[in-house]
Amino acid sequence: MALTPSPSWRSPPRCAERAGAGLVAICAWCGLILQTVATLAVTGDGLITALAMARYFTILSNLAFAVMMTLVALGRRAPAGWVGGATLCMMTVGVVYALLLEGFLVLPGLGPIADIFLHKVSPIAAGLFWLVLAPKGELRWRHAFVWLGLLTAYGAYALLWGWEAGFAIYPFLDPGRGWGRVILTLLILGGGFLATGLALVSVDRRLARHA
């Protein structure tokens, strides 16, 4: 049975979608701003702060989603693959944090509040927005593999950065604990990411049919 793309992807966002996107964008921007202030208080330098934050998957995911949701809130339409991929990354941020990184690198001052926004509030808000308000019907199975490619590229970037800097971005990417352990962790994370991406596409197609 052929899947007909939702016409709402080709029309301006609805009022409810724009309002929801605005709320999600506020959550993500709040987390990013709070984290920037907390990091700047430690480094004392804007460039160092920007470079330090840019190495984390959490920051990059929140930034990408914040930009997309801001565009939707302003009446622009983001491609389905972009929104789906950003949602998947945000969900991954929340799950990986809960399983592996709870309490990791929480900065003083505004750091704990930023941590809650970036790792808990925003990922939950992103998932709810996609499920309830985002138009359905344009995701394809290939999108899940494209998203996996982006995660793989980040993994390579994180390992290269850690090798150049002399310390790992995340504890589970530390070669000092053994390359076998690092590779196994990456395979598990990649497999989970791909499976979740395929599930996201499946849910999108089912909801589009029912709609």
Side-chain angles (χ1 to χ4, degrees):
M1 177 179 177
L3 183 65
T4 302
S6 169
S8 55
W9 276 113
R10 312 194 190 286
S11 59
R14 299 162 295 162
C15 291
E17 187 182 353
R18 292 181 63 180
L23 291 175
V24 177
I26 289 173
C27 291
W29 285 121
C30 281
L32 291 167
I33 292 171
L34 291 170
Q35 186 68 22
T36 300
V37 173
T39 307
L40 187 59
V42 174
T43 65
D45 184 275
L47 179 59
I48 294 176
T49 293
L51 293 175
M53 292 178 62
R55 64 180 181 242
Y56 291 106
F57 186 79
T58 294
I59 301 298
L60 298 176
S61 298
N62 272 270
L63 179 60
F65 203 79
V67 171
M68 288 184 200
M69 292 299 98
T70 300
L71 291 175
V72 174
L74 294 175
R76 301 291 297 275
R77 175 63 66 195
W82 293 13
V83 176
T87 301
L88 176 60
C89 288
M90 292 294 287
M91 293 167 59
T92 301
V93 165
V95 172
V96 172
Y97 178 80
L99 295 178
L100 300 175
L101 297 173
E102 184 78 42
F104 169 71
L105 198 61
V106 179
L107 298 176
L110 296 174
I113 303 177
D115 191 61
I116 292 173
F117 271 97
L118 293 173
H119 295 104
K120 297 179 180 180
V121 176
S122 294
I124 292 173
L128 289 175
F129 173 86
W130 183 86
L131 184 63
V132 177
L133 293 174
K136 306 298 187 296
E138 283 201 351
L139 291 184
R140 299 293 180 265
W141 299 114
R142 65 176 182 274
H143 282 121
F145 296 93
V146 173
W147 300 334
L148 179 62
L150 295 176
L151 180 68
T152 302
Y154 173 79
Y157 160 74
L159 288 173
L160 180 60
W161 192 98
W163 179 72
E164 287 285 347
F167 63 91
I169 295 178
Y170 294 111
F172 52 81
L173 294 180
D174 185 3
R177 299 186 178 186
W179 275 105
R181 185 172 180 178
V182 171
I183 293 174
L184 178 61
T185 301
L186 289 175
L187 289 174
I188 293 174
L189 290 175
F193 190 86
L194 177 60
T196 307
L198 292 171
L200 203 69
V201 176
S202 177
V203 171
D204 174 85
R205 296 167 73 86
R206 288 177 181 273
L207 290 177
R209 289 193 182 99
H210 288 298

